[in-house]
Amino acid sequence: RKEVEQDPGPFNVPEGATVAFNCTYSNSASQSFFWYRQDCRKEPKLLMSVYSSGNEDGRFTAQLNRASQYISLLIRDSKLSDSATYLCVVNRDTGRRALTFGSGTRLQVQP
Amino acid sequence: GAGVSQSPRYKVAKRGQDVALRCDPISGHVSLFWYQQALGQGPEFLTYFQNEAQLDKSGLPSDRFFAERPEGSVSTLKIQRTQQEDSAVYLCASSFAGDRGELFFGEGSRLTVL
């Protein structure tokens, strides 16, 4: 079982739609959580950190459920420019300390 | 530029050749990571340096893979006797805040082994 699992998609949504991505992680020692965005043939870039209380950044809302080991990302009012792959990322506090990436969920926003 | 710089951007190697991939991190970033990204997959961790010390190399897939960062700045990932399964994008990332801060990635080196 992979340490971070995501639905690969693709999610095809119309402009203006609300879309949600989910991610589960297997290592309960994970302490830090992030969503990264990766455009086609480009490098990953940090979209937002995920905090236990949930956090919002404009049209983006991230939630963390430690009990269920589940992370979500909600995008409201989707724009064409949101089309990308969204990578769920966790960081353990012990053992291997590097970030562990999921395989990504591809989003295609259509006009 | 101020970002992470990787070279070469593209490399085609014949099976059995050795390759060397270079990463020039953001100035002042003490942490440097190498990741391997296969098509349609997320980045997979290879190795991690803090300054010149290689603190974690548990992700290196075989002893054909070797990484160094001798002066705590530029890093080189070397792959000996390349195999077709080594074909991937090799991403370098650096971070100021150790292993918990935001990672800044380079554009990657795309390796194709024929």
Side-chain angles (χ1 to χ4, degrees), chain A residues 36 38 43 91 93 97 99, chain B residues 35 37 45 99-100 103 106:
Chain A
Y36 274 67
Q38 186 170 26
E43 72 275 20
N91 189 349
D93 197 43
R97 301 169 83 99
L99 296 183
Chain B
Y35 283 82
Q37 187 170 26
F45 170 76
D99 53 9
R100 293 178 177 79
L103 292 190

Side-chain angles (χ1 to χ4, degrees), chain A:
Chain A
R1 182 186 172 193
K2 296 192 79 168
E3 192 167 336
V4 180
E5 297 213 49
Q6 297 182 249
D7 180 345
F11 284 59
N12 295 302
V13 303
E15 268 187 293
T18 295
V19 60
F21 307 136
N22 303 319
C23 163
T24 57
Y25 60 95
S26 61
N27 194 318
S28 59
S30 299
Q31 293 293 323
S32 304
F33 309 90
F34 309 90
W35 284 100
Y36 274 67
R37 170 190 169 133
Q38 186 170 26
D39 292 309
C40 188
R41 300 179 80 86
K42 294 289 191 180
E43 72 275 20
K45 292 183 179 178
L46 178 66
L47 177 66
M48 60 194 300
S49 301
V50 186
Y51 303 117
S52 296
S53 54
N55 50 298
E56 192 173 303
D57 183 0
R59 297 181 294 109
F60 298 82
T61 300
Q63 297 276 354
L64 168 65
N65 184 323
R66 285 187 184 270
S68 301
Q69 295 180 199
Y70 171 97
I71 305 160
S72 67
L73 177 68
L74 182 79
I75 306 175
R76 289 182 299 278
D77 189 22
S78 300
K79 311 291 185 192
L80 294 175
S81 57
D82 293 335
S83 298
T85 296
Y86 291 83
L87 299 162
C88 177
V89 186
V90 305
N91 189 349
R92 304 181 201 172
D93 197 43
T94 58
R96 178 187 293 177
R97 301 169 83 99
L99 296 183
T100 301
F101 287 75
S103 295
T105 298
R106 193 154 64 90
L107 171 66
Q108 184 67 47
V109 180
Q110 295 165 335

